[in-house]
């Protein structure tokens, strides 16, 4: 069993590496929930397969799957993709997987945060989340990595971005939300982030994207390309409900220095046109009283910065939107040393997230 540590990564000289640093591999989960995913989750499963196969061209991929789907999923993937039996309530490995930290000697450990399905009984997305809560420990056990217990603090991986050099970006809308760590003040939240991720400077954006069901995860708004360089969601349309909040985020990011004192270089990537759940899509989603309402016409967040950086590659969303090609060209320019692969992820966006949200990197 992975050892549980009562110290903190900062005390032990561990830090969360940037996503662009070398990976041991990528963790994902298999989607099956019929109140998140339409048509028995089959179209979403196809999209998850496309994402996993794209990543597996660059680095090892492990997919956690329920016992009942194990045989099927094993048959879907080539042997280079590892399939392990692992229960979960849904398939958002970014948010329910461990946050890996690393020291200068190359030892890797994991942080086990608390999780309440994006808000618990106060606006959370489903109930229960008991199996999600065990995923971090299971992954760390499987990998024989020591575990920092920080379950007293609710944090989703999609709510933070780090540059691996002491800088973290997050949103007030999510991290200071009463439905995450009620009663905890900004200074206390910052203290946890300092201790468990070993960061020096926290950059607070006010809000995430409108229609993001997670209460404003920062991974729909921005992404570190490398230390000192950030890509962010953008719209030129003053009528867009995203316009003001993205302008405000731009002001903060472009006017801020990072932990090393660098002025951030910020690249704007235009978001797709507004997206809504169609009547046909909504009719094929099961209803559940405690779950997020995915009715006809519900708008959902979509952005190109919810991409995933892997060894030598970047896997990014497309939506069949007029902005797909420009976003691809921009990312190719921002990552000249990596191959950029685009996967149509509308089916994943319908469930409330995208490629970054369904993946979790384990550093080398
Ligand atoms: O990391 C993310 N932004 C996660 C999205 C979770 C959506 C749950 N339906």
């Amino acid at each position: 069993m992975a050892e549980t540590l009562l110290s903190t990564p900062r005390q032990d000289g561990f830090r969360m590496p940037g996503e662009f640093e070398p990976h041991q591999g990528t963790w994902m989960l298999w989607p099956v929930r019929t109140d998140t995913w339409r048509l028995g989750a089959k179209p979403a499963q196809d999209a998850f397969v496309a994402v996993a196969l794209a990543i597996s061209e660059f680095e090892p991929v492990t997919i956690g799957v329920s016992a009942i789907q194990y045989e099927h999923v094993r048959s879907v993937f080539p042997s280079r993709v590892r399939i392990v039996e692992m229960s979960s309530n849904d398939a958002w490995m970014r948010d329910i997987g461990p946050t890996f930290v690393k020291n200068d000697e190359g030892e890797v450990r994991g942080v086990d945060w608390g999780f309440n399905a994006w808000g618990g009984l106060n606006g959370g997305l489903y109930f229960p989340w008991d199996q999600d809560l065990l995923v971090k420990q299971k992954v760390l056990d499987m990998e024989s990595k020591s575990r920092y217990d920080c379950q007293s603090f609710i944090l989703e991986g999609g709510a933070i971005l780090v540059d691996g050099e002491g800088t973290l970006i997050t949103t007030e809308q999510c991290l200071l939300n009463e439905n995450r760590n009620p009663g905890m003040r900004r200074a206390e939240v910052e203290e946890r982030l300092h201790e468990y991720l070993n960061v020096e400077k926290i950059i607070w954006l006010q809000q995430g994207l409108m229609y993001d069901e997670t209460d404003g995860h920062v991974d729909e708004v921005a992404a570190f390309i490398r230390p000192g360089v950030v890509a962010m969601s953008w719209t030129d349309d003053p009528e867009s409900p995203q316009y003001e909040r993205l302008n405000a985020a731009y002001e903060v990011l472009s006017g801020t220095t990072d932990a090393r004192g660098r002025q951030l270089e910020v690249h704007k990537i235009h978001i797709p046109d507004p997206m809504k759940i169609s009547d046909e899509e909504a009719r094929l989603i099961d209803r559940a009283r405690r779950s997020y309402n995915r009715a006809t016409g519900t708008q959902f967040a979509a952005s190109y910065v919810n991409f995933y950086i892997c060894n030598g590659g970047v896997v990014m969303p497309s939506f069949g939107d007029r902005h797909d090609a420009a976003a691809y060209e921009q990312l190719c320019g921002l990552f000249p040393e990596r191959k950029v692969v685009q996967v149509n992820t509308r089916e994943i966006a319908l469930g409330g997230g995208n490629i970054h949200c369904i993946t979790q990197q384990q550093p080398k």
Side-chain angles (χ1 to χ4, degrees):
M1 190 180 98
E3 181 191 13
T4 292
L5 303 161
L6 298 174
S7 53
T8 70
R10 187 181 188 84
Q11 289 165 355
D12 298 341
F14 283 71
R15 63 169 181 110
M16 180 182 177
E19 194 173 307
F20 38 76
E21 294 182 46
H23 296 179
Q24 179 68 38
T26 299
W27 285 85
M28 293 177 66
L29 292 159
W30 185 248
V32 290
R33 270 192 95 94
T34 54
D35 56 345
T36 300
W37 311 107
R38 71 188 186 103
L39 200 54
K42 289 296 169 195
Q45 290 172 1
D46 286 346
F48 274 60
V49 169
V51 169
L53 289 179
I55 298 170
S56 73
E57 295 289 338
F58 299 105
E59 63 185 47
V61 174
T62 302
I63 303 182
V65 46
S66 67
I68 203 157
Q69 285 272 294
Y70 176 82
E71 202 177 1
H72 166 63
V73 179
R74 182 61 283 171
S75 77
V76 166
F77 284 97
S79 58
R80 70 171 187 275
V81 177
R82 178 168 70 150
I83 309 298
V84 297
E85 192 180 313
M86 190 178 291
S87 311
S88 60
N89 301 100
D90 203 354
W92 306 97
M93 195 51 123
R94 176 65 48 191
D95 295 341
I96 66 174
T99 300
F100 288 99
V101 290
K102 187 174 172 176
N103 69 5
D104 289 344
E105 282 68 58
E107 188 189 343
V108 171
R109 298 176 176 171
V111 182
D112 188 347
W113 313 103
F115 176 77
N116 69 354
W118 306 273
L121 300 182
N122 175 16
L125 301 178
Y126 51 70
F127 177 87
W129 53 85
D130 56 330
Q131 294 305 313
D132 285 347
L133 207 43
L134 298 172
V135 166
K136 298 179 187 81
Q137 187 157 11
K138 289 178 182 175
V139 169
L140 295 173
D141 258 348
M142 250 173 218
E143 294 296 299
S144 302
K145 301 295 182 206
S146 299
R147 160 183 174 264
Y148 289 102
D149 181 356
C150 194
Q151 288 226 342
S152 59
F153 180 65
I154 304 281
L155 184 81
E156 302 108 35
I160 51 162
L161 304 171
V162 299
D163 67 355
E165 296 189 355
T167 314
L168 180 145
I169 308 176
T170 189
T171 67
E172 294 175 355
Q173 186 192 353
C174 185
L175 254 65
L176 302 184
N177 199 309
E178 274 299 301
N179 67 11
R180 298 309 207 276
N181 296 290
M184 212 182 238
R185 290 189 302 268
R186 181 190 301 254
E188 296 167 276
V189 170
E190 290 196 340
E191 185 54 24
R192 295 292 180 118
L193 300 173
H194 284 304
E195 281 302 317
Y196 284 88
L197 298 168
N198 206 349
V199 290
E200 308 298 335
K201 171 137 191 192
I202 298 171
I203 300 173
W204 289 95
L205 307 180
Q206 223 180 351
Q207 291 173 304
L209 286 189
M210 179 90 102
Y211 311 122
D212 176 355
E213 59 194 68
T214 66
D215 301 311
H217 271 190
V218 72
D219 67 353
E220 292 279 12
V221 178
F224 274 108
I225 305 290
R226 61 185 74 86
V229 184
V230 169
M232 72 164 286
S233 295
W234 183 251
T235 176
D236 292 326
D237 177 6
E239 301 303 315
S240 163
Q242 312 287 6
Y243 185 78
E244 252 177 57
R245 53 184 70 207
L246 291 178
N247 267 272
Y250 181 76
E251 289 306 311
V252 173
L253 290 174
S254 59
T256 309
T257 50
D258 65 14
R260 299 265 175 112
R262 288 172 290 232
Q263 192 77 39
L264 287 179
E265 181 184 315
V266 185
H267 296 268
K268 298 169 174 173
I269 306 210
H270 207 287
I271 53 174
D273 286 334
M275 293 202 186
K276 291 183 181 166
I277 303 182
S278 70
D279 191 37
E280 190 197 338
E281 288 164 341
R283 275 191 297 110
L284 300 169
I285 297 172
D286 288 353
R287 306 278 172 226
R289 199 162 36 96
R290 287 258 174 78
S291 300
Y292 187 70
N293 182 7
R294 296 178 199 282
T296 304
T298 304
Q299 298 215 42
F300 54 93
S303 94
Y304 297 103
V305 301
N306 202 281
F307 54 73
Y308 180 63
I309 308 174
C310 39
N311 296 337
V314 176
V315 183
M316 69 171 293
S318 70
F319 302 93
D321 183 88
R322 66 190 171 111
H323 299 94
D324 286 356
Y328 172 77
E329 290 307 326
Q330 270 184 289
L331 283 198
C332 289
L334 289 170
F335 288 106
E337 69 296 351
R338 296 175 196 263
K339 183 174 176 207
V340 181
V341 179
Q342 214 167 14
V343 176
N344 191 314
T345 52
R346 180 181 169 91
E347 293 295 339
I348 303 175
L350 279 171
N354 219 302
I355 298 172
H356 195 253
C357 311
I358 63 168
T359 50
Q360 182 64 250
Q361 69 277 5
Q362 178 173 341
K364 206 180 218 41

